[in-house]
């Protein structure tokens, strides 16, 4: 039997301790990930007793990041990414700039150099992939419009960090660090990096969208479940590794695009289901590995600096994101979700800190502060998500504040005067123009039924208006949006958005303005459906039940029987 079993020892200790402290955290009404972080501290080098292999734990955590981002890519199409580019690109760039400026300002007050401040600020500006996705999944917001914005925002952040990691060695000398002899000129490095990233994305979207789904289908035809699972995992990890080695992009970004191209396959749902247990197990290893890096002594040595770092991460950059989203004329709910999503730091921050330390740009205390800020912000991040709904209720209870938050006139929030008035009587008001809403709209159009779309995505509203459709931008839970859609004269309200939190408010507003209106609601949750039924919300459709009913009708028709 081999004597060196550090890999097995590390996995066993991480999973067992993660289970123990995860259960304790849940019993104490805390998120399970807090228990995973504590488990990491307990088996890390900063505490007495058993010490797991930190380097191996970090590599296992990277596998978790790959699988998690691959799973997100399986549910996130290129259309979803392009749909949110209008807010994700400018928002992410401005938020990174604001958070980096805050970090550099604090570093200057502490007497650090310009290079130290730049690395420190960048490390505080980028959110953790794993934490963001786990939070969105736990709140059921991953597939919502707000979830797509947050994921798109994160993809932009990852691309910016890829550029930063490649450019830092070239900038090290001018910024006061050590000179990397392998680093070329700044402009040559920038051109090479941009070229490689563009080449990778083009290769994945042009070639990968056809090749990898075909391979997955060929393996599925063998009838072997284990080969299918192996193919999916090999694609996720292999593409992520290859993208890093050949194109210099991150493991997370490579795995995300791998999932996006495999989404073109009809087997994408099965692929997501097959990899789910493995993704959950390795995401636990990620949080445990973060806890292993934490140095509790920094809390005693520099408590004030740790507090400042946490404030920048959880409030400074979150407030910047909140104001940016509102300035781009998106609803308060979107602004709160995005700002809560970004109120933590993670894997890219650790990589930046390690590189800054190796280049002589970041002092050792800077890395300790970054790790402490990551640990605390990850533990507290679920609490910010829990505050979204109470904050929304409080704002809506303050009419003056609600109006002040929406003080900027938005031309897309009102129907154009050119809309024919006869189309605004007896029409259908369709809330949400996503995958379900598009199909409903096409059927209404085919049957020559007038409709008005209420959609939160301003770019979608602009495109609909260019095609001659009636559409208003905003959250239909806001009475002003339904009023603009002429709900008072509508025959039917169709809620095709997965945002179940605001459904009752939409129906309440619609029936107050139009007591006889028919309401049709989409929901994924049986519990939510029961609640809506009890409140006589109208016709409630559960996606899985409707799919089963449709398939049953097809079966009966093929057997020549009535259903």
């Amino acid at each position: 039997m081999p004597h060196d079993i550090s890999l097995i020892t590390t996995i066993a200790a991480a999973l067992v301790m993660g289970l123990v402290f995860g259960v304790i955290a849940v019993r104490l009404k805390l998120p399970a990930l807090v228990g995973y972080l504590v488990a990491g501290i307990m088996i890390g080098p900063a505490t007495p007793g058993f010490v797991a292999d930190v380097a191996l734990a970090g590599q296992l955590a990277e596998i978790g990041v790959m699988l998690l981002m691959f799973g997100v890519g399986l549910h996130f199409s290129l259309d979803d990414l392009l749909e949110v580019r209008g807010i994700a690109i400018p928002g992410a760039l401005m938020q990174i700039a604001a958070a980096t400026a805050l970090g550099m300002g604090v570093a200057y007050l502490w007497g650090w150099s310009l290079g130290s401040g730049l690395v420190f600020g960048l490390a505080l500006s980028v959110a953790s992939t794993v934490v963001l996705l786990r939070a969105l999944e736990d709140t059921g917001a991953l597939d919502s419009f707000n979830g797509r914005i947050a994921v798109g925002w994160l993809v932009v952040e990852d691309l910016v960090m890829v550029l930063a990691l490649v450019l830092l060695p070239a900038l090290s000398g001018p910024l006061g660090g050590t000179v990397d002899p392998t680093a070329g000129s700044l402009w040559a490095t920038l051109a090479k990096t941009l070229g490689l990233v563009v080449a990778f994305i083009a290769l994945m979207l042009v070639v990968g969208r056809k090749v990898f789904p075909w391979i997955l289908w060929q393996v599925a035809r063998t009838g072997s479940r284990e080969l299918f699972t192996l193919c999916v995992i090999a694609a996720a990890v292999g593409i992520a590794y290859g993208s890093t080695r050949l194109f210099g992009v991150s493991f997370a970004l490579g795995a995300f695009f791998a999932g996006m191209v495999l989404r073109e396959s009809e087997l994408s749902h099965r692929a997501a289901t097959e990899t789910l247990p493995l993704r959950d197990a390795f995401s636990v290893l990620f949080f445990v590995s973060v806890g292993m890096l934490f140095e509790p002594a920094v809390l005693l040595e520099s408590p004030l600096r740790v507090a400042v770092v946490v404030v920048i991460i959880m409030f400074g950059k979150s407030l910047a994101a909140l104001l940016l989203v509102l300035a781009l004329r998106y609803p308060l709910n979107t602004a709160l979700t995005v700002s809560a999503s970004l109120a933590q730091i993670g894997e890219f921050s650790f990589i930046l800190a390690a590189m800054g330390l190796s280049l002589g740009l970041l002092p050792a205390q800077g890395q300790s502060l970054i790790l402490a800020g990551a640990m605390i912000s990850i533990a507290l991040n679920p609490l910010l998500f829990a505050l979204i709904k109470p904050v929304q209720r409080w704002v809506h209870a303050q009419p003056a504040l609600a109006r002040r938050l929406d003080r900027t006139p938005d031309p897309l929030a009102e129907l154009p005067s050119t809309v024919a008035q006869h189309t605004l009587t007896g029409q259908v008001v369709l809330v949400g123009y996503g995958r379900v809403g598009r199909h409903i709209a096409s059927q209404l159009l085919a049957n020559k039924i007038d409709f008005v779309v209420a959609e939160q995505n301003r770019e979608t509203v602009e495109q609909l208006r260019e095609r001659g459709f009636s559409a208003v931008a905003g959250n239909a839970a806001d009475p002003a949006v339904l009023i603009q859609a002429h709900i008072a004269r509508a025959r039917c309200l169709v809620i095709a958005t997965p945002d179940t939190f605001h459904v009752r408010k939409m129906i309440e507003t619609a029936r107050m303005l139009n007591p006889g209106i028919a309401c049709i609601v989409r929901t994924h949750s049986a519990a939510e459906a029961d609640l809506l039924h009890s409140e006589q919300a109208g016709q409630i459709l559960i996606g899985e039940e409707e799919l089963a009913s449709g398939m049953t009708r097809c079966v009966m028709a093929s057997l020549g029987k009535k259903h």
Side-chain angles (χ1 to χ4, degrees):
M1 180 177 177
H3 296 287
D4 187 7
I5 54 171
S6 57
L7 176 61
I8 298 174
T9 304
T10 300
I11 293 176
L15 293 179
V16 171
M17 295 294 282
L19 173 63
V20 171
F21 284 96
V23 170
I24 293 174
V26 171
R27 290 290 180 88
L28 295 175
K29 308 298 182 183
L30 295 171
L33 65 86
V34 175
Y36 305 152
L37 293 169
V38 174
I41 296 175
M42 298 303 294
I43 63 174
T47 53
F50 170 77
V51 178
D53 192 316
V54 178
L56 279 178
Q59 293 187 46
L60 293 170
E62 284 285 9
I63 297 176
V65 173
M66 293 181 206
L67 294 175
L68 194 65
M69 285 300 287
F70 177 75
V72 173
L74 285 171
H75 295 93
F76 201 88
S77 67
L78 179 62
D79 292 336
D80 291 335
L81 194 58
L82 294 176
E83 186 181 272
V84 298
R85 68 187 184 280
I87 180 174
I89 294 176
L93 294 177
M94 289 188 284
Q95 177 257 307
I96 289 173
T100 302
L102 287 173
M104 292 179 71
V106 169
Y108 174 78
L109 294 177
W110 291 342
W112 293 5
S113 67
L114 176 64
S116 299
L118 179 62
V119 175
F120 187 66
L122 284 171
L124 300 185
S125 70
V126 58
S128 166
T129 300
V130 180
V131 177
L132 168 67
L133 298 178
R134 175 61 66 86
L136 291 175
E137 286 180 342
D138 290 345
T139 57
L142 184 58
D143 294 324
S144 68
F145 172 65
N146 294 339
R148 293 198 299 273
I149 289 179
V151 173
W153 194 299
L154 190 72
V155 170
V156 177
E157 281 193 350
D158 283 355
L159 287 171
V160 173
M161 291 306 121
V162 167
L163 290 175
L165 289 171
V166 174
L167 292 176
L168 269 180
L171 291 170
S172 178
L175 291 174
T178 58
V179 178
D180 186 352
T182 62
S185 68
L186 175 60
W187 293 110
T189 303
L190 179 60
K192 180 182 177 182
T193 303
L194 289 174
L196 287 173
V197 171
V198 171
F200 166 72
I201 295 175
L203 182 66
M204 294 299 291
L205 298 182
V206 176
V207 180
R209 292 175 80 177
K210 297 187 179 297
V211 173
F212 293 114
W214 179 83
I215 294 174
L216 190 65
W217 182 253
Q218 297 305 311
V219 173
R221 291 178 63 183
T222 65
S224 171
R225 180 178 178 181
E226 63 187 66
L227 282 178
F228 181 85
T229 304
L230 179 61
C231 178
V232 173
I233 296 172
V237 179
I239 294 174
Y241 175 76
S243 64
T244 301
R245 296 291 297 179
L246 299 176
F247 299 96
V249 303
S250 66
F251 288 126
L253 199 62
F256 174 75
F257 275 95
M260 280 185 61
V261 297
L262 284 181
R263 188 182 187 278
E264 302 298 319
S265 170
E266 296 177 356
L267 300 168
S268 61
H269 181 73
R270 179 184 169 189
T273 303
E274 295 285 349
T275 57
L276 183 61
L278 205 59
R279 278 159 35 206
D280 287 342
F282 275 96
S283 68
V284 171
L285 292 176
F286 168 79
F287 291 109
V288 173
S289 70
V290 173
M292 292 172 66
L293 294 172
F294 182 58
E295 184 64 54
V298 74
L299 298 176
L300 300 176
E301 296 169 357
S302 307
L304 184 59
R305 293 192 175 188
V306 172
V308 170
V309 170
V310 173
V311 168
I312 291 175
I313 296 170
M314 301 199 66
F315 299 101
K317 73 171 185 174
S318 293
L319 180 60
L322 178 75
L323 296 176
L324 286 169
V325 176
L326 291 175
L328 291 170
R329 295 172 175 170
Y330 280 84
L332 178 63
N333 178 47
T334 300
L336 289 172
T337 302
V338 172
S339 61
S341 300
L342 302 174
Q344 35 73 23
I345 59 174
E347 54 274 10
F348 260 118
S349 304
F350 309 148
I351 298 171
L352 280 165
M355 177 173 282
L357 199 64
S358 66
L359 293 173
L361 290 172
L362 187 70
Q365 188 190 48
Q367 185 181 44
S368 297
L369 291 173
I370 289 169
L371 292 173
M375 177 85 175
I376 296 171
S377 63
I378 288 173
L380 297 180
N381 189 244
L383 301 179
L384 290 186
F385 272 94
L387 289 174
I388 291 177
K389 292 180 181 178
V391 170
Q392 281 183 275
R393 295 192 191 100
W394 181 80
V395 170
H396 291 149
Q398 314 292 325
L401 178 60
R403 285 194 300 271
R404 196 175 298 119
L405 288 173
D406 195 29
R407 64 186 181 279
T408 305
D410 185 358
L412 296 180
E414 298 180 2
L415 282 180
S417 58
T418 54
V419 176
Q421 290 300 307
H422 71 271
T423 65
L424 300 176
T425 300
Q427 83 282 11
V428 173
V429 175
L430 174 60
V431 178
Y433 196 75
R435 287 185 285 270
V436 174
R438 287 189 180 93
H439 286 292
I440 296 173
S442 65
Q443 292 297 318
L444 295 175
L445 191 64
N447 288 278
K448 298 181 179 180
I449 299 174
D450 295 322
F451 62 92
V452 179
V453 175
E455 167 63 46
Q456 293 188 63
N457 191 333
R458 301 181 75 257
E459 286 74 19
T460 300
V461 173
E462 288 177 342
Q463 293 168 4
L464 286 170
R465 290 191 179 186
E466 289 173 359
R467 293 163 55 191
F469 296 128
S470 300
V472 293
N475 188 341
D478 181 358
V481 175
L482 290 180
I483 290 172
Q484 281 299 318
H486 291 255
I487 194 71
R489 291 185 286 176
R491 278 189 299 173
C492 181
L493 171 67
V494 179
I495 303 176
T497 173
D499 182 11
T500 56
F501 175 67
H502 293 105
V503 165
R504 291 190 292 278
K505 180 64 176 177
M506 297 176 196
I507 296 174
E508 178 186 333
T509 301
R511 287 184 170 165
M512 181 178 65
L513 298 172
N514 186 348
I517 193 170
C519 298
I520 301 174
V521 183
R522 163 202 179 188
T523 181
H524 290 298
S525 166
E528 181 72 19
D530 292 340
L531 179 60
L532 292 171
H533 275 304
S534 67
E535 297 177 354
Q536 297 182 342
Q539 188 171 356
I540 316 301
L541 302 178
I542 301 177
E544 290 79 3
E545 290 183 0
E546 293 305 310
L547 177 61
S549 297
M551 294 180 72
T552 302
R553 285 194 295 270
C554 292
V555 171
M556 294 302 180
S558 67
L559 297 176
K561 298 183 178 182
K562 294 183 178 180
H563 175 62

